[in-house]
Amino acid sequence: DGGITQSPKYLFRKEGQNVTLSCEQNLNHDAMYWYRQDPGQGLRLIYYSQIVNDFQKGDIAEGYSVSREKKESFPLTVTSAQKNPTAFYLCASSINLLAGANQPQHFGDGTRLSIL
Amino acid sequence: AQTVTQSQPEMSVQEAETVTLSCTYDTSESDYYLFWYKQPPSRQMILVIRQEAYKQQNATENRFSVNFQKAAKSFSLKISDSQLGDAAMYFCAYRTNYGGSQGNLIFGKGTKLSVKP
């Protein structure tokens, strides 16, 4: 079955540590996204990538970094500069927009990150 | 910048009854897309229904339908014959069709729906 796999499901970060969240998709989608979800908030966009080797900052990119070396992979690194990293992180992907901008984003199951 | 507002943080409905969740948005664009996503306790985001702004006909998907009022910038979700499995957070989302951020979703803060047996 095609889908988006996020790992790990739960992650703990120590003070001053960088951690990387994995996101892999086998849907052959061009675009990939990272969102952060806090209690009582909607999803907020961290980074997005519409094509391999290119990515753009979203609304809350500070303290995060990404790479897009392969079409199917879009890892997110939460750096020590992110002072409040505790949240639920969702990865999503969508088909090439030239094929139809009404195509929805498909989401992974998320990673919950907590500070030790 | 576009914004999405869901004015009902929580809603409750009796099983088998009908409930309507509200969503309003602000935009100066004429061509865009609107979505409703469901997030059950498992936290997975599931697409419920989508609407294209240039289509006047309201979208329907089985028990789910929308009331799209473009001039009023309103996009409400109606759930008919509510079932216990409908209990979840519901997010309204806007998607622009222009510019470098084409394809990006802007989400409301969500409405938590409870279904009473």
Side-chain angles (χ1 to χ4, degrees):
Chain A
D1 278 343
I4 300 175
T5 301
Q6 288 187 241
S7 62
K9 195 172 180 69
Y10 299 96
L11 187 58
F12 298 91
R13 195 191 88 169
K14 294 180 181 178
E15 204 71 37
Q17 186 182 43
N18 293 354
V19 291
T20 297
L21 284 60
S22 171
C23 178
E24 303 277 333
Q25 55 99 359
N26 60 4
L27 299 167
N28 200 33
H29 285 171
D30 289 295
M32 296 187 75
Y33 310 83
W34 273 106
Y35 294 93
R36 171 178 171 142
Q37 186 177 22
D38 295 282
Q41 299 279 338
L43 279 65
R44 292 183 290 168
L45 183 65
I46 305 172
Y47 268 98
Y48 64 99
S49 168
Q50 295 187 354
I51 196 169
V52 176
N53 292 322
D54 184 59
F55 50 83
Q56 305 295 329
K57 291 182 179 180
D59 299 320
I60 55 166
E62 186 175 350
Y64 300 97
S65 66
V66 293
S67 62
R68 187 84 188 278
E69 297 175 2
K70 298 187 296 183
K71 186 176 183 177
E72 57 270 22
S73 179
F74 191 42
L76 173 74
T77 296
V78 184
T79 74
S80 56
Q82 174 49 247
K83 298 306 178 187
N84 184 24
T86 297
F88 188 65
Y89 292 86
L90 282 159
C91 177
S93 70
S94 66
I95 200 168
N96 186 308
L97 291 171
L98 293 177
N102 65 335
Q103 296 302 310
Q105 291 184 10
H106 298 261
F107 287 81
D109 290 341
T111 293
R112 174 162 295 284
L113 175 62
S114 302
I115 295 182
L116 281 177
Chain B
Q2 297 83 14
T3 59
V4 177
T5 302
Q6 293 180 249
S7 59
Q8 306 152 316
E10 296 188 24
M11 291 281 286
S12 180
V13 64
Q14 204 72 32
E15 194 175 7
E17 298 292 307
T18 295
V19 64
T20 299
L21 308 184
S22 300
C23 173
T24 58
Y25 57 94
D26 188 25
T27 185
S28 58
E29 298 170 348
S30 59
D31 189 16
Y32 50 86
Y33 301 90
L34 296 163
F35 302 83
W36 278 99
Y37 279 89
K38 169 185 176 180
Q39 188 180 43
S42 65
R43 305 300 295 271
Q44 187 179 22
M45 294 287 284
I46 302 165
L47 177 68
V48 175
I49 199 165
R50 76 185 91 169
Q51 175 78 42
E52 293 150 344
Y54 62 85
K55 288 187 177 179
Q56 292 192 350
Q57 186 174 6
N58 289 327
T60 61
E61 288 285 344
N62 300 314
R63 297 182 295 106
F64 298 89
S65 62
V66 299
N67 183 5
F68 174 50
Q69 301 289 329
K70 191 172 184 180
K73 298 178 184 176
S74 171
F75 182 60
S76 60
L77 174 70
K78 186 170 84 171
I79 306 174
S80 304
D81 186 25
S82 297
Q83 301 175 359
L84 295 177
D86 295 333
M89 283 289 289
Y90 285 82
F91 292 96
C92 178
Y94 172 101
R95 189 181 206 182
T96 183
N97 199 28
Y98 301 98
S101 60
Q102 183 187 33
N104 292 354
L105 288 171
I106 299 167
F107 286 88
K109 292 188 176 182
T111 296
K112 183 178 181 180
L113 178 66
S114 302
V115 181
K116 297 178 180 177

